Amino acid sequence: MNNTKLIPYLTFENTKSALDYYQRVFGVTDVTRQAPTEKQAEEMSLNEDVNLDDLTLRASFKILGQEVDCADSFMGKPVISSLISLMLQVDLHDSDAANDLEDLYKQVVASEEVKVIVTFEKKSSGDKYGQVVDKYGVTWIFEGKK
């Protein structure tokens, strides 16, 4: 089981646009995107007149070094759910990681393109915690643990 990874996988109506948003607002890196081939489009029964370059079969990006995969929803419009959140957790004893998390939170909030649910600040436990929801309904939790 040591070779097992759990990678968040997000589904969007337009992943190409979502990737632009996450690059601009969250500063994500290592962005990759693959459009479907004509054969794949045929196998998925997509309309022949669709612009394949606008569609995303698979994409990924990194945020604070963590991988997130994503793709277009080819099964219809994705449903927004508050049941799943993505947590970025760092050890507050690692000053570089703590600063990176703080900087990311400030960047995201400064964009004014997220809704702040909980301001990222020190709690009575000594840990730091904050929460935002992005324009796609994804909840991002920022946590610094002692």
Side-chain angles (χ1 to χ4, degrees):
M1 286 272 198
N2 290 341
N3 292 327
T4 302
K5 284 196 216 176
L6 179 64
I7 299 172
Y9 196 101
L10 305 175
T11 305
F12 300 101
E13 192 169 1
N14 183 332
T15 301
K16 193 174 185 179
S17 176
L19 290 171
D20 290 340
Y21 169 81
Y22 287 115
Q23 283 180 291
R24 184 179 72 256
V25 175
F26 286 76
V28 302
T29 61
D30 301 324
V31 176
T32 64
R33 192 179 78 78
Q34 174 188 357
T37 64
E38 287 182 22
K39 182 176 176 129
Q40 290 167 325
E42 184 180 321
E43 290 169 353
M44 291 187 289
S45 301
L46 299 178
N47 292 338
E48 290 182 19
D49 63 342
V50 71
N51 182 352
L52 295 180
D53 190 51
D54 289 339
L55 301 178
T56 303
L57 185 63
R58 183 171 181 134
S60 67
F61 59 83
K62 287 190 176 177
I63 182 163
L64 295 182
Q66 300 302 306
E67 184 178 343
V68 176
D69 284 359
C70 52
D72 285 348
S73 172
F74 290 99
M75 303 297 287
K77 188 171 182 165
V79 177
I80 294 175
S81 170
S82 62
L83 295 175
I84 297 176
S85 300
L86 301 179
M87 179 185 290
L88 295 167
Q89 185 183 78
V90 301
D91 181 346
L92 291 176
H93 296 102
D94 180 339
S95 59
D96 289 340
N99 288 336
D100 289 347
L101 186 66
E102 178 88 30
D103 291 346
L104 176 60
Y105 176 82
K106 288 177 181 176
Q107 173 185 335
V108 167
V109 171
S111 75
E112 298 183 355
E113 294 190 59
V114 298
K115 179 179 180 182
V116 176
I117 305 301
V118 178
T119 304
F120 185 63
E121 59 189 13
K122 194 176 215 177
K123 304 301 177 193
S124 60
S125 64
D127 294 344
K128 290 186 84 173
Y129 182 89
Q131 189 174 339
V132 301
V133 176
D134 71 26
K135 80 175 205 172
Y136 295 99
V138 177
T139 300
W140 293 84
I141 298 171
F142 298 78
E143 184 175 57
K145 299 280 285 180
K146 285 219 165 239

